[in-house]
Every structure is written in C-alpha cells, then in structure tokens.
Amino acid sequence: MTDTDKKDPKLSPTGNFSKQDAPPYEGSLQCMRCGFCLPTCPTFVLTGRERSSPRGRVALARAVAEEKLDFTEAVKEESFFCLDCRACTTACPSGVKAGEIMEICRDQAHQLKPGGHLSTGFRNFILQKMMPSPERMESAMLPSRLYQRLGIQWLVRHSQLLKLGPDWMAKAEGMMPKMDKPLRLQLPEITPAIGEKRGKVGFFLGCVMTLMYPEISRQTVRVLAHQGFEVVTPKQTKCCGAPHLTEGDRKTARDLALFNIDLFLDQDVEYIVTDCAGCGSALKEYEELLEGEADHHRLAQFRSKIRDISEFLAEVGLRTEALKEIKRSVTYHEPCHLCHAQGISQQPREVIRQIPGIELREMKESSWCCGSAATWGLKFTDESQQVLDRKLNNVKQTEADILVTGNPGCQLQLAWGVREAGMPQEVKHLIELLGEALPESDND
Amino acid sequence: MISKKALQLLIDKLGAQNVASEKEDLLVLGYDSTPGLHHLPDVVVYPTTTEGVQAAMEIAYEENMPITPRGSGTGLSGGSVPVQGGMVICLNRMNKILEIDEENLTATVEAGVVTLDLFNAVAEKGLFYPPDPGSQKISTLAGNVMEDAGGLRGLKYGVTRDYVMALKVVLPDGTILETGGKSVKDVAGYSLKDVMIGSEGTLGIITEITVSLIPPPQDKRTFLAYFDDVRVAGATVSEIIAAKIIPSTMEIMDKATINCVEDYVKIGLPREMAALLLIEVDGHPAVVAEEAEALERILQAKAAEVQSARDTEHAAELAAARRTALSALARVSPTTLLEDATVPRSRLAETFAEIERLTEKYQLKVGTFGHAGDGNLHPTVLCDERDADEMKRAHAFYDELYEQVLAWGGTVSGEHGIGVAKKDFLALQIGPGGVDVMRRIKNAFDPKGLLNPGKIIDGKQQ
Ligand SMILES: Cc1cc2nc3c(=O)[nH]c(=O)nc-3n(C[C@H](O)[C@H](O)[C@H](O)COP(=O)(O)OP(=O)(O)OC[C@H]3O[C@@H](n4cnc5c(N)ncnc54)[C@H](O)[C@@H]3O)c2cc1C
Ligand code: SF4
Ligand code: SF4
C-alpha cells in the first residue's frame, strides 16, 4: 500500500466504517476469493458457513467500506467469532490478512456498536486501568482476567452464542495452573552471562508468563545466560498490548507500544527476546500499529530486534556441549501466533532436535489451532468439541512422552485437554525442556 | 425476493441451520473467484442429502426461482454466481466419502467432498486419484466435474472427465437421474454422464459421484530447465513428446513470472532467463530411468541450464518456483486476472510471442505460466480494478489474444469453463450451429430455464 493510495478517499474508501482506525481498503481488495484459506480456518470448518470464513469476513469488510452493508451486528459478531489464529494468513497466496482485518473490526465495533460481549465499563477498567500497570495487575485478581487473552475471553464473547451452561466459569477456573509468586518481582534486572559471553539481550517478560508461568520464564533467562548472553529484564515492562488489540482497543495498545519501545531501545541490547508467542507477534506488529505515529527509524530498529526464543536460539546457534541427555520422545504443537503470525515453524524443531537424547515425532496437522479455549465439557456443540479432539487425536497417534509448545494459551488448553482425556503426555514449553537439559550451575 | 411461505417451507424441509437469508450471508455467497462479478441471491440453502436437494429444487421450481448450484466457489468463469438472483444451493455440507471399492478400483463420494480429501483418503489405501487442479485444497468434486477440471498431471493422466464413472443428478423438476456405473464398459444409450460433465451446473445438480482410481506410480524423477529463448522452450516441449516421452508434469513459466517469484521468495532464480520448464516423469522404476535419460539428453541439448533432482527433498526445491507462481503474481497488485487460453502444443512458442506483443501494445503487467504439455497457458494480468482505463486495456488484451488463439485452432477455455465470462467467445468458437445444439440440449433438461441461467449460452425459454 502506498501513501498516495491512502490519501485518495475515492480509491480507499472507509465507507460505513468509522474513519478512526478503519481497516485499510487495500487489504480487502487484495483478496481474489480463491478460497485457499477456507480449509485452514477453524471457524469455517466448525460451521461450514461462508461468512465465518476468512474469505467471507474479508468480503464483509469490503462491503462495509463500499457502503453495500452497514457495520451490522453480524459483522461485529464475525469479528469476535474469529479466533485470530492467523492460519488464513499462512494459507493466503495473495497476502491478505483476514485475522488482522477482523482485529481492526473489533475496534470498529467498540466505536460503532459499544456494549455487548463485555460491558464497556468493565472492559475499560481492565484494559485501560489494570493492564497497563504491572503493580495493579499483581495485586488484583488479574490472573483470572488475564486468562481472557488466552481463550476464556473467546468463550466469554460466545457464552450466549454457544449457549454455555451457567457453571462454565467454574470449569474454566479448573483449567488454571497453580499460581506462584509473580516472576517480575523476583528476577534481577541484570542476569550475567555464563561462560564465554556472546552478547547482551533484553528479555520481554509477558504478563501471562510472569503471573501464570513464572517457572517457564525463569528457565528462559537461565537458558539465555547459559548460552552466553547477559540478560536485561526491565522491571517497568508493560503489557505488550495483545489483549487490547484482541479486544479492539487500539488506542491503549498504542500507548503501551510507545512505552515499551522507549523502554527497550534505551537498554542498549542487541536483541529483545520473548518466550510468549502472543507477545512476540504483538511486538512484531508495533511497526504497523504505530505507522505514521512514531519515528519510522525507531520503529524499524525495534522491530529488527524482536525474536521468539526458539527463533533466537536457532539463529545464534545453540551451544550444546554442556547439555545433559534426555531420553524422551516429544511431539511439537505449533502455536498459531508463532507459525501463522510470525512464520516461525522450523526453528523450534531445530532446537528440539539438538537436545541430546530427544526423539522428535511429528504429529499430523501440527499447525492446526488447538482451539485455545473452545470446547471442553462446557455445554457445547458437538462440532466445537472436535477442534480440541482433532488436536488430541493427532497427539495420541504419536505416542510421544511429552507434548511441547511455545505459548501459554496453548499450554493451558492442551494441559487441560490432555488431563481430561486421561492421556499420559506431559505438556511443556520448549524452554522447560531445554532447561531440564542444562547442567546445574552455581550462578543459577 | 423469496416469499415468506417458500422460506418457511425450505426451513421445514431442510432445517433452519441449513437455510440462510440474512443479508450478510447472501453477500458472501454472491461471488466466486472471478474478478469483478457479484450478485446477491435471495436465499441460500445447504442441503445435506439428495432428498434435501430435491426438496429445495421443487420449491424453487414452484416459485419460478432461478437456482445456482455452488461448490466452494473457486470457479474462474462465474459459474456459481447467481446472476439472476434466486436460490443458491451450496453443496459443501454434503462432504462424505461413501465408499472406496478396492476390488473395482472406484470411489463413491457426495458432491461436496473436497478434491484433496479424496486424494488423501484413497492414497491411504495405496490408490491414486490423479486430477489435481491448482485449487484442489478446497475445490469440490462436483465443481471439478461441472468444470471438467484439469491439473498439473493432465498431460499423462488426463482430466476429471477421464475418471468419472457414474453420477447421481437431480434435474430441475426434481427428477433423479442416475447415469453410468462401476462397469468399465458401458454403451447403453446416450452417454448422459458425458453430457453432464463440463455442463457448469446448467443441466442438473450432482449429489453423488463415482470415480475410477488407479495404482500410484512407484517412481518419479524431476527436472528443471532454463531457457534463454521462449521459442526454444516451446520447441523442446514438442521434441519431448515427439520422442514418445509423456511426462506426468510439464509446466512452463515465463520471464515475468520468474522475476515475480524471485522478488517474492528470493531463492536465487536466474532473472535473465526467458522461461523455465519443470518436468516430471513417473511410473515403473525401469521405465522412469529410461525416460529420464532420454529426457535429460534432450534438455541438455536445448536448455541453457538443466537441474536434475537428487532426491525427494531436492525435487520439492526444484518445484518450489512453479508452486509459488500464483502467490508471487497475486501479491503484485490488488486484482489478478487468471485466464486459460489453450492452443495445440505446436503453437506454444507463437502464443508466448503473441502474449508478449499484446502486453507491450496494451501496456500491461502480465505473467504467464501454465501446463506446457497441454498447450494450456495462464496469461495473468496484474492490475487494479479501480483503474477503469487499465481494466479496459486488460479486456482488450484478452479479446485480441483469444481471437488469435481461435485462429490457431485453440480453445477459449482449457479448464476454467465458459460461465458468464466467455459466452461471446464460445459463440465465436463453435458457431451459431453449435450454440443452437447446446440450447436444445439445455431446453431438454431444463425447459423452464431455471437452472443456472445466463451461463455458457443465453438460454431461450420455450
Ligand atoms: C487459484 C485457482 C487455481 C485454479 N486452478 C485450476 C486448475 O488447475 N485446473 C482447473 O481446471 N481449474 C482450476 N481452477 C478453477 C476452479 O477451481 C475449478 O473450476 C473447480 O473445479 C471449481 O470447483 P468448486 O467446487 O469451487 O466449484 P464452484 O466454483 O462452486 O462451481 C463451479 C461450477 O460448477 C457448478 N456446480 C458446483 N457444484 C455443483 C453441483 N453439485 N451440481 C451441479 N453444478 C455444480 C457451479 O454452478 C459452477 O457452474 C482454479 C481456481 C483458482 C481460484
Ligand atoms: S486465501 Fe487469501 S485471496 Fe484467497 S480467499 Fe482467502 S483471503 Fe482471499
Ligand atoms: S484468524 Fe483464524 S479464525 Fe480468524 S478468519 Fe483467519 S483462520 Fe479463521
């Protein structure tokens, strides 16, 4: 898209969208309706309904821009029904990003059709007051709210649509892992490199990781140090903004992005590493989110430093000399926000294969969404139970000991699913596996 | 507009979840993959059984409502676009594979089964369903039958028609027609099955299909050859065939396409080359070895550079350029016009020259790739539908190209069908006599002219 396109309202109409943050018309126009995205879209496969497919959603957005359709309840519904899994982006030959268009439509929904799935007051409270402040999040009941980012949020949105039973919330709580003390307060700002130093990296500690999976992120820092990197973990790090984008609050997301960019560019680090696929994909999208609102050069500089932990380790090369042998078989589930949103698919496998003793067994459809939050024994339709079942079935066939993934949302969903199905697999983040292979060290 | 009574009747017969009449649903079922075509239907139904199709047809028949069948809407000639409104019948929820018969080597499927799903299901039993249109990931088998879809394997293995053994069809008045069977030979009366194939949903609605299967080839060799002159590439294609080698794949890409692919994936393609050929031979290992040797000899003599795949992985690398061709082209501009001019093989080189000349004349961006072995080319215009002048030039480009293609004894459609997009060209190609016979056939099946009106020929109501 060029700037000239953007400026000519006749060529790039916003039509029935609100002018503030309207989805770019070019994005919809680019769709050639080939349908290649259809078989990869969980909500299309679930419903067989064109308007719940990427092609259909893009067509709706286009119709709104062309004033063939108002921004109706149904458009709003589709924008929230979309899982934002980005499988369609990977499948699309034409470079269309249906998931992203729907994300922007959620912001439109709040502008044009406020209220609904979450009451406005509640939503503003969570997104604008609580999440931007690490202190407030830690002192509140926020973990359970945060879980929204991971999928309960998807359920909340659809609790009516899907006719959930009254006790779904209680069951959802049952999925939550045991909560430890938030990691943010425990991690030193600077963790020195161990052995021959290879560089200095920033660690972006995500909200969900610090609150719900502190042990995983502790391992991430430990692995980075063992790999010869000095790790800087700024205490003031704020939420990456992904929950805000998902909920359609682009304004707060921008504020957070500006803050984090300044914070990390001040640190003089070569890379900014994250162990949460959701954070990684949001951080990599700051450039687009802030286009025209921040210094282009700084945005590009920030973007060029962001790495998922697996991407980073594959790129700099894993030092394997000291690694202990782990004689287990594993299978790998690809988080949507890693493989589809960031295009990172081979790197995690490369890292897994380098751990001595590990046998990697590929599952079928490894990049198919785990349904992060769809399904389970809540009063659900048969079809939607199939999203998780489909995944678990593929896991089962590998007969692997461990199910490895790289995103907290997937981990919650899969750990719960495996437990409910009575399957023997342990569910682990890639970095936990690597952490186990590390030798104990005095510096840890 | 559909009457309240008819809508209620549809809901009663098919179930509320299989009937849609909200504007948002209608809006997204008024297009297929043909650029610039869009019409709203009045109602959309998703039958799940043959009886459901029958019921919907009967209601439409009573209401005098046009009916447009639809598979996955990947068609490129507007076949599933409801140009006169009315009812769209979507077959994509009839997606069960009913039987794989290993004794007779056949598979029987519902109309909406996705092509690749069938391929995978029979592959699991060690069998092979060859037709592989570029859209196989999502195209339906009924859509394939109705467009007589071809694919990369067409040269050696034929097209969809060559595999259809039997069809179950609902006619516009609700009558059920079963034609063909599992017998390898069948000369009982007119071959109605063959009339149905390629009829683009204008004669009846398919609900079940039986296709034949074959054992898969045991071995395969892949070659990639670059040429500094398109004419030499064209001549090489003819020479290979003349040497009595029938490759399973013989795909061509021109310079513009090579450069678009290189811009997009940066895999080190030689940008200065005029064309590349991707060639595969498959079959019994002994035959493959022999053919590969002869093939390599021809290529070495003609091409500027030849690469031969060391193993499966390398073969996939060699095929990558062709596989990404469409993605690379589609990204260049908002609108992608994908056409399928087809000429006798011997005219391949001249066709490329003509495309080049017209590209220059009309000042367009065109990338051409296609099934060289079949003389089937996809000259793809990369444009922007908001630019009225450019669109006019694009259409003039195709008009002039098709005139020449016809003059060479070619056809205006090798695989995408006529639909609404190419009706005028069809008349040019087959003449008024041909059109008249087609119209009489159409009227025999669909006297009220309700089924997919406005497609292939302008039907005359009796
Ligand atoms: C990117 C791309 C690549 C393609 N590559 C190829 C290729 O390599 N080779 C090729 O031949 N084509 C190709 N096509 C064209 C298209 O995919 C084929 O024509 C395909 O067979 C259409 O299948 P569909 O299920 O999408 O049918 P639709 O587009 O939905 O319908 C096609 C026609 O069949 C009719 N129809 C559908 N179902 C029924 C039914 N049950 N009963 C009666 N009529 C019915 C419709 O009315 C319409 O006229 C390509 C298209 C795209 C977008
Ligand atoms: S794959 Fe891309 S171009 Fe094709 S229909 Fe989906 S969004 Fe549109
Ligand atoms: S992001 Fe996922 S759910 Fe949303 S349209 Fe794309 S594939 Fe479907």
Side-chain angles (χ1 to χ4, degrees):
Chain A
M1 190 202 328
T2 66
D3 287 340
T4 37
D5 284 342
K6 250 188 149 177
K7 275 180 207 132
D8 189 344
K10 269 230 268 327
L11 292 181
S12 305
T14 50
N16 291 335
F17 283 117
S18 154
K19 294 233 177 329
Q20 172 71 33
D21 273 324
Y25 182 65
E26 282 70 22
S28 312
L29 198 63
Q30 190 66 32
C31 173
M32 57 176 177
R33 305 185 295 213
C34 66
F36 285 16
C37 50
L38 265 58
T40 64
C41 173
T43 58
F44 176 73
V45 173
L46 221 66
T47 59
R49 202 164 65 155
E50 180 79 13
R51 78 175 208 206
S52 304
S53 77
R55 178 172 68 177
R57 288 176 174 137
V58 172
L60 289 179
R62 184 173 170 175
V64 174
E66 291 174 351
E67 298 183 18
K68 290 180 180 149
L69 186 70
D70 288 329
F71 192 93
T72 58
E73 275 303 325
V75 179
K76 174 179 174 181
E77 203 177 288
E78 281 311 330
S79 75
F80 282 96
F81 188 44
C82 165
L83 284 157
D84 204 10
C85 69
R86 312 284 169 97
C88 48
T89 306
T90 305
C92 178
S94 198
V96 178
K97 297 176 175 167
E100 235 174 273
I101 295 176
M102 284 303 108
E103 202 177 82
I104 300 175
C105 280
R106 290 180 199 168
D107 189 81
Q108 290 282 323
H110 290 300
Q111 296 182 48
L112 299 169
K113 297 223 168 299
H117 64 282
L118 290 179
S119 82
T120 317
F122 175 66
R123 178 179 157 275
N124 288 348
F125 173 71
I126 295 296
L127 295 177
Q128 289 165 14
K129 291 260 160 47
M130 300 300 287
M131 302 209 57
S133 150
E135 291 79 16
R136 257 180 247 157
M137 288 216 300
E138 280 151 7
S139 60
M141 68 320 169
L142 245 252
S144 56
R145 291 281 83 89
L146 255 180
Y147 186 67
Q148 287 184 332
R149 165 73 188 125
L150 310 172
I152 291 217
Q153 141 230 50
W154 190 83
L155 267 182
V156 177
R157 288 192 222 127
H158 302 104
S159 52
Q160 268 174 318
L161 200 76
L162 298 169
K163 304 204 175 48
L164 296 181
D167 54 346
W168 70 267
M169 189 54 128
K171 288 203 181 169
E173 298 283 358
M175 291 177 66
M176 306 272 267
K178 202 171 98 289
M179 227 70 73
D180 293 321
K181 245 174 64 200
L183 182 64
R184 194 181 69 93
L185 303 169
Q186 306 171 44
L187 266 188
E189 285 241 350
I190 308 253
T191 308
I194 297 173
E196 193 193 328
K197 188 171 167 183
R198 294 208 273 173
K200 182 173 167 189
V201 302
F203 176 51
F204 187 95
L205 177 59
C207 318
V208 183
M209 299 308 292
T210 175
L211 291 169
M212 299 177 74
Y213 286 116
E215 278 320 305
I216 295 180
S217 285
R218 194 193 300 283
Q219 290 302 328
T220 305
V221 173
R222 185 167 161 256
V223 167
L224 284 169
H226 270 265
Q227 287 293 319
F229 294 93
E230 180 182 328
V231 187
V232 183
T233 316
K235 279 225 188 316
Q236 295 125 351
T237 307
K238 287 189 178 177
C239 171
C240 65
H244 307 80
L245 290 174
T246 309
E247 284 302 325
D249 179 0
R250 297 180 80 75
K251 181 171 172 318
T252 309
R254 284 200 186 97
D255 294 343
L256 292 168
L258 286 168
F259 179 88
N260 285 328
I261 289 174
D262 286 344
L263 180 67
F264 274 87
L265 287 186
D266 280 349
Q267 305 293 333
D268 177 37
V269 290
E270 292 154 72
Y271 296 96
I272 303 165
V273 179
T274 169
D275 54 10
C276 166
C279 294
S281 80
L283 295 172
K284 286 180 178 177
E285 279 168 25
Y286 279 5
E287 211 179 349
E288 271 176 276
L289 180 69
L290 292 170
E291 197 191 277
E293 306 203 14
D295 176 51
H296 187 72
H297 176 71
R298 277 175 76 78
L299 288 176
Q301 199 189 359
F302 183 79
R303 168 67 188 85
S304 71
K305 290 177 193 271
I306 306 295
R307 298 287 184 283
D308 179 74
I309 181 73
S310 63
E311 181 186 21
F312 178 72
L313 293 174
E315 187 176 321
V316 298
L318 194 66
R319 283 204 309 223
T320 53
E321 310 86 61
L323 295 186
K324 291 185 291 190
E325 188 173 68
I326 304 182
K327 285 202 83 64
R328 308 287 295 274
S329 56
V330 309
T331 187
Y332 176 62
H333 160 73
E334 310 198 43
C336 294
H337 278 86
L338 205 52
C339 67
H340 299 307
Q342 301 183 55
I344 296 173
S345 185
Q346 284 316 309
Q347 295 93 323
R349 295 180 161 92
E350 268 173 47
V351 174
I352 292 172
R353 281 202 196 92
Q354 287 185 63
I355 302 175
I358 288 282
E359 178 204 350
L360 176 62
R361 296 184 188 164
E362 289 291 347
M363 70 171 90
K364 276 198 212 152
E365 305 181 320
S366 61
S367 66
W368 185 262
C369 181
C370 62
S372 187
T375 72
W376 59 94
L378 306 171
K379 232 197 209 167
F380 234 102
T381 62
D382 293 348
E383 291 113 303
S384 85
Q385 182 72 46
Q386 285 169 12
V387 179
L388 181 59
D389 284 352
R390 185 167 172 161
K391 174 81 351 170
L392 293 180
N393 209 11
N394 287 328
V395 173
K396 203 176 282 170
Q397 282 177 22
T398 66
E399 295 180 1
D401 303 326
I402 306 174
L403 170 54
V404 173
T405 187
N407 190 48
C410 305
Q411 191 146 353
L412 277 171
Q413 164 82 342
L414 292 171
W416 187 88
V418 161
R419 201 165 63 228
E420 287 295 296
M423 288 163 60
Q425 279 79 17
E426 294 167 49
V427 180
K428 291 194 171 177
H429 191 291
L430 168 61
I431 210 74
E432 289 180 274
L433 200 63
L434 207 48
E436 276 173 41
L438 283 188
E440 298 303 325
S441 142
D442 300 341
N443 302 11
D444 280 355
Chain B
M1 275 294 287
I2 177 169
S3 73
K4 275 226 170 68
K5 186 178 128 247
L7 189 61
Q8 191 52 51
L9 212 55
L10 282 171
I11 291 174
D12 293 345
K13 295 267 183 190
L14 298 172
Q17 74 281 12
N18 294 322
V19 180
S21 58
E22 269 187 57
K23 180 152 184 213
E24 291 81 359
D25 284 301
L26 303 180
L27 233 152
V28 299
L29 290 157
Y31 53 66
D32 65 359
S33 225
T34 318
L37 261 188
H38 193 215
H39 290 272
L40 283 188
D42 296 303
V43 63
V44 176
V45 298
Y46 291 93
T48 53
T49 59
T50 299
E51 293 68 38
V53 174
Q54 218 176 357
M57 301 270 271
E58 276 164 3
I59 293 167
Y61 205 72
E62 280 302 306
E63 293 269 311
N64 268 319
M65 188 188 285
I67 304 163
T68 307
R70 177 186 167 95
S72 287
T74 67
L76 285 166
S77 52
S80 58
V81 177
V83 288
Q84 297 183 10
M87 179 189 291
V88 165
I89 302 189
C90 262
L91 280 301
N92 71 337
R93 291 189 191 164
M94 289 186 66
N95 57 5
K96 282 195 280 299
I97 296 176
L98 301 171
E99 182 198 53
I100 296 172
D101 180 343
E102 292 175 79
E103 259 177 68
N104 288 306
L105 293 187
T106 63
T108 301
V109 301
E110 289 184 339
V113 167
V114 167
T115 316
L116 188 61
D117 290 348
L118 173 65
F119 177 91
N120 287 333
V122 304
E124 252 174 49
K125 300 204 184 282
L127 292 167
F128 183 36
Y129 177 69
D132 60 342
S135 51
Q136 61 175 336
K137 236 169 88 169
I138 184 65
S139 69
T140 65
L141 278 157
N144 292 165
V145 172
M146 279 300 178
E147 299 290 356
D148 191 13
L152 265 56
R153 303 192 185 102
L155 175 60
K156 176 169 179 180
Y157 292 101
V159 295
T160 304
R161 178 185 299 277
D162 301 310
Y163 295 85
V164 178
M165 300 201 67
L167 295 174
K168 187 190 254 186
V169 181
V170 183
L171 299 181
D173 62 1
T175 320
I176 290 182
L177 169 72
E178 296 195 60
T179 164
K182 284 186 187 174
S183 316
V184 177
K185 297 169 132 186
D186 179 7
V187 294
Y190 295 148
S191 177
L192 297 178
K193 171 192 92 178
D194 282 295
V195 175
M196 278 292 160
I197 298 168
S199 68
E200 307 186 20
T202 61
L203 302 180
I205 294 196
I206 299 177
T207 59
E208 261 178 52
I209 305 165
T210 301
V211 295
S212 61
L213 307 170
I214 58 174
Q218 297 152 18
D219 199 7
K220 181 174 97 169
R221 286 287 301 278
T222 306
F223 295 89
L224 186 64
Y226 293 103
F227 297 82
D228 37 30
D229 185 338
V230 166
R231 275 167 306 197
V232 180
T236 306
V237 169
S238 301
E239 193 169 322
I240 291 167
I241 304 286
K244 307 199 172 50
I245 301 169
I246 305 291
S248 55
T249 293
M250 185 141 62
E251 295 287 305
I252 194 163
M253 259 165 70
D254 72 349
K255 186 174 191 162
T257 312
I258 293 174
N259 278 281
C260 282
V261 170
E262 187 55 24
D263 286 344
Y264 172 40
V265 279
K266 304 191 178 55
I267 44 177
L269 301 179
R271 289 179 178 274
E272 67 287 356
M273 288 295 170
L276 69 73
L277 283 178
L278 173 75
I279 305 178
E280 276 177 12
V281 286
D282 70 5
H284 187 277
V287 178
V288 169
E290 210 172 280
E291 289 189 340
E293 205 191 310
L295 183 63
E296 196 158 5
R297 224 177 305 123
I298 297 175
L299 290 177
Q300 290 294 2
K302 293 275 184 180
E305 192 192 327
V306 183
Q307 296 176 4
S308 151
R310 291 180 301 271
D311 47 38
T312 357
E313 221 165 275
H314 190 213
E317 266 170 49
L318 295 188
R322 171 61 183 89
R323 227 186 19 244
T324 33
L326 178 67
S327 304
L329 293 172
R331 272 160 216 262
V332 171
S333 65
T335 312
T336 308
L337 304 179
L338 197 60
E339 281 288 343
D340 70 331
T342 306
V343 293
R345 222 161 13 228
S346 58
R347 296 285 190 177
L348 206 59
E350 283 158 279
T351 312
F352 269 102
E354 180 69 0
I355 290 172
E356 216 167 283
R357 184 182 76 79
L358 293 172
T359 304
E360 188 63 34
K361 175 171 175 189
Y362 291 107
Q363 290 297 305
L364 292 163
K365 205 168 177 124
V366 182
T368 305
F369 62 97
H371 319 306
D374 307 334
N376 183 183
L377 296 180
H378 297 303
T380 305
V381 176
L382 314 176
C383 50
D384 186 336
E385 59 195 81
R386 293 170 295 183
D387 183 341
D389 184 62
E390 191 180 37
M391 295 311 281
K392 225 164 90 192
R393 281 181 279 126
H395 289 299
F397 167 90
Y398 285 123
D399 285 353
E400 202 170 327
L401 177 63
Y402 280 126
E403 256 168 54
Q404 185 56 54
V405 163
L406 289 180
W408 282 328
T411 169
V412 297
S413 180
E415 50 184 28
H416 296 166
I418 298 299
V420 280
K422 289 189 190 164
K423 282 190 287 193
D424 297 343
F425 288 120
L426 175 71
L428 273 182
Q429 183 173 332
I430 64 173
V435 171
D436 196 51
V437 174
M438 286 196 186
R439 187 167 288 137
R440 275 184 264 164
I441 294 173
K442 164 76 177 166
N443 287 340
F445 278 88
D446 178 22
K448 274 185 153 187
L450 288 178
L451 193 55
N452 216 356
K455 309 295 164 67
I456 307 183
I457 46 167
D458 286 313
K460 224 189 301 169
Q461 288 191 12
Q462 285 178 337

